Amino acid sequence: MAISAADVKKLREQTGAGMMECKNALVETDGDFEAAIDLLRTKGAAKAAKRGAEREASAGLVAHAPGVLVELKCETDFVAKNDDFVATAQRIADAASQAGASDVEGLRAVALDGSTVGEVVDGLAISIGEKIELGQFVRFDGNAVAYLHKRAADLPPAVGVLVEFEGDADAARAAAMQVAAMRPQYLTREEVPADVVEHERSIAEATSREEGKPEQAIAKITEGRLNGFFKDVVLLEQPSVTENKKTVKAVLDASGTTLKRFARFEVGA
């Protein structure tokens, strides 16, 4: 049967598929519009699965809604700043905040736009033509503030930090900015795994011996270097970026603020 340009255009608008793909689908289904949609979805899903095996989603963005951070990944910055991609990421974050999802698998099952988050993400991949997937996800149920950072003015946020706290929100937000900039791995020294500490101690001790330090001074030098390691990786022991003569802990203490935990997402990291 003859396939009209209007039908092809309508099918393209509903599916986001290419003009020739839409025309071929209508021809293959003898003009049955619903069957053509199903055919395009099936073929699109197959293509998306193939892309998923062959390509890496190393671009994307971080979105925030109350209590949550969500990373939505894609292949290119061009797609990362696409209006549909950005809007979808925000809708996912909003749905996650309201639904109470606690992990990525739970987030995929959250209801969104008449389907689920997982189905929306898969459908966006088919529509846009890139590998798109949920990345990291975190939810904090206590008082929390977020900070989102853009690497470039024309791109969406690629770094996101969520901080759970008690006390002053402005002080907690400043700490979130510190996390974004200085990349601490732990909140307190006690959170650093014992094997990591012992590994750093052994390196510091070996370095001192390699440098020919006096044997009686090696223990003290080793501990000094270990303290330097803690200042790099422990948030509360880092020099504050806002008051560099104070530690982050000292600044927070002065404001009556206690941090409970933090999460930091960075697209492509």
Side-chain angles (χ1 to χ4, degrees):
M1 64 175 292
I3 304 300
S4 71
D7 284 342
V8 174
K9 182 174 182 294
K10 181 181 177 183
L11 185 58
R12 184 184 187 190
E13 289 173 350
Q14 288 204 17
T15 64
M19 292 291 284
M20 287 306 300
E21 288 178 306
C22 290
K23 182 178 179 180
N24 291 337
L26 286 167
V27 170
E28 190 170 338
T29 59
D30 293 325
D32 186 324
F33 202 79
E34 294 303 320
I37 291 175
D38 289 343
L39 180 62
L40 285 172
R41 289 183 63 188
T42 301
K43 289 184 175 181
K47 287 181 181 179
K50 184 177 181 181
R51 284 194 301 270
E54 295 174 348
R55 301 179 187 175
E56 181 179 358
S58 57
L61 60 79
V62 180
H64 160 66
V68 302
L69 278 183
V70 177
E71 180 188 26
L72 188 61
K73 302 168 69 176
C74 58
E75 296 176 42
T76 64
D77 286 341
F78 179 78
V79 167
K81 60 184 179 182
N82 173 281
D83 289 343
D84 286 344
F85 184 84
V86 174
T88 298
Q90 189 58 55
R91 292 203 310 275
I92 290 171
D94 292 340
S97 177
Q98 295 172 14
S102 60
D103 56 28
V104 174
E105 284 308 307
L107 177 56
R108 287 187 61 85
V110 168
L112 179 63
D113 298 341
S115 54
T116 66
V117 166
E119 290 168 344
V120 168
V121 171
D122 293 343
L124 188 63
I126 293 169
S127 174
I128 288 179
E130 277 197 8
K131 179 179 181 181
I132 296 174
E133 61 186 15
L134 287 172
Q136 300 176 89
F137 168 67
V138 69
R139 176 186 187 86
F140 291 163
D141 290 321
N143 291 330
V145 294
Y147 172 70
L148 301 179
H149 176 74
K150 294 183 177 183
R151 292 172 179 158
D154 64 333
L155 293 176
V159 178
V161 177
L162 190 66
V163 172
E164 186 176 351
F165 72 100
E166 291 181 357
D168 183 71
D170 289 338
R173 189 170 291 106
M177 294 175 68
Q178 170 100 19
V179 173
M182 303 307 294
R183 298 179 172 87
Q185 299 174 43
Y186 310 96
L187 177 60
T188 67
R189 181 178 295 209
E190 290 69 31
E191 291 180 3
V192 184
D195 60 331
V196 172
V197 174
E198 287 309 307
H199 179 68
E200 290 298 325
R201 179 178 280 111
S202 66
I203 290 176
E205 184 175 330
T207 300
S208 296
R209 287 200 164 87
E210 185 68 22
E211 292 172 348
K213 304 294 184 184
E215 186 65 31
Q216 63 271 24
I218 286 180
K220 185 175 181 180
I221 294 171
T222 296
E223 290 308 306
R225 285 175 166 162
L226 193 60
N227 285 332
F229 164 73
F230 286 130
K231 287 181 180 180
D232 283 338
V233 302
V234 174
L235 174 60
L236 294 183
E237 299 194 24
Q238 288 184 339
S240 169
V241 295
T242 57
E243 300 182 50
N244 58 18
K245 292 185 178 180
K246 296 182 179 180
T247 64
V248 171
K249 184 179 187 303
V251 172
L252 288 168
D253 286 347
S255 69
T257 304
T258 301
L259 300 191
K260 299 297 186 181
R261 51 182 171 167
F262 70 86
R264 182 184 188 277
F265 296 167
E266 181 170 359
V267 174

